[in-house]
Amino acid sequence: MSTSLRASVSPFGQSRVTLTRQHPIHHLPAFAFSASDSQPYTSLLRYSWEANRRRYPRRSAMSYCDVQPSFPSDSPELISESDFEKVVSPDGYVSICGFGSLLSEKSARSTFPNLINFRVGRLNGFQRVFAHAAPIFFERGIANPETKEISSLSVEPCEGEILMVTVFEIQRSEIPSFIEREHEFRFLAVTPEAIDGNRYTSPAPKLILISNRVLVWILMQVLCARYSDDEYFQNRCKGSQEIYFQRYGRYNIDKIWRDDILPCRVYLRHCVLAAKNLGDAVYNNFVDHTFLGDRKTTIREYLATTGSGIMEEEPPELLKSRYGG
């Protein structure tokens, strides 16, 4: 009896790794995919054996990525809520990739109380940047327009970068809450790796037998990436000045995505503490691979110079739990 592996491509850039046999199988084979013990089954994004082994070298401190990066073709965009159905697992879960405040499980559960499988992963080919104004900071009274300390985090493609991120699953019913929470972002479907470098799969990878073929499903995650002002206005605000005003204009924000602003102090402290709580590897990755809008200054450098003192400042009393790392 012979066995062979092959990959096939389906709509939306999805592909399947299939095992074919000439005769019916009586037991399920084991595949060399790493997984945690309690991950749900999800759809498969475009995948290749070569990509699974690819490693990016650390980026030179003297180089930085384009301010207006192009998004990779193997990270399809989820434009509407209906697009999220393409990444919902057979058992009704969507996998989320966190890189800023969602490095904190407490923060994640404040929005998604029923999340499961909170864990650390690694995302190749993206960098973190403080380059967009966040209305939530104005709403909560922690933005400082005078000093331009009003920025939250987003990610954008950058070849050579590796980000330590968190990964967790939410129920399909929570998708509207997720979109509302991350309203200003571009949603991409990406495939982070587990810490050991392998792609996430289901527990004992999900093997679906169709005729004489076994399909192996690989986890894909939703990532909140950099948008543009024009796309945000057209896609999220539906071209409505009224919607834009309710979300941004009333805070005197006429441009969301900009490179001349600085991190909101309370938010930056929260993200650094959250990263530190996940261990030295995540902490060092955060401070060395997160940049100001110039895409040159790292957070480690910023905290040692202009941003010195941020880590010693306590959040307002009512926000101590929310922004406590």
Side-chain angles (χ1 to χ4, degrees), residues 56-123:
Y56 290 108
R58 180 172 177 175
R59 184 177 70 171
S60 167
M62 296 302 294
S63 66
Y64 57 97
C65 289
D66 198 311
V67 172
Q68 294 182 326
S70 59
F71 289 86
S73 59
D74 61 351
S75 297
E77 183 175 354
L78 309 176
I79 297 176
S80 65
E81 183 176 333
S82 61
D83 286 339
F84 279 74
E85 290 299 318
K86 300 167 184 175
V87 296
V88 174
S89 71
D91 31 1
Y93 285 93
V94 175
S95 193
I96 304 297
C97 185
F99 54 84
S101 63
L102 292 182
L103 292 175
S104 164
E105 185 171 359
K106 181 187 294 185
S107 286
R109 289 191 181 280
S110 69
T111 304
F112 314 111
N114 299 315
L115 72 81
I116 62 172
N117 303 332
F118 192 89
R119 59 206 184 275
V120 175
R122 182 171 67 185
L123 180 64

Side-chain angles (χ1 to χ4, degrees), residues 131-132 154 184-185 225-229 255-259:
H132 84 279
S154 61
E184 67 266 36
F185 292 96
R226 179 188 177 101
Y227 224 169
S228 71
D229 286 271
K255 184 175 176 57
I256 303 171
W257 300 93
R258 46 191 289 192
D259 306 318

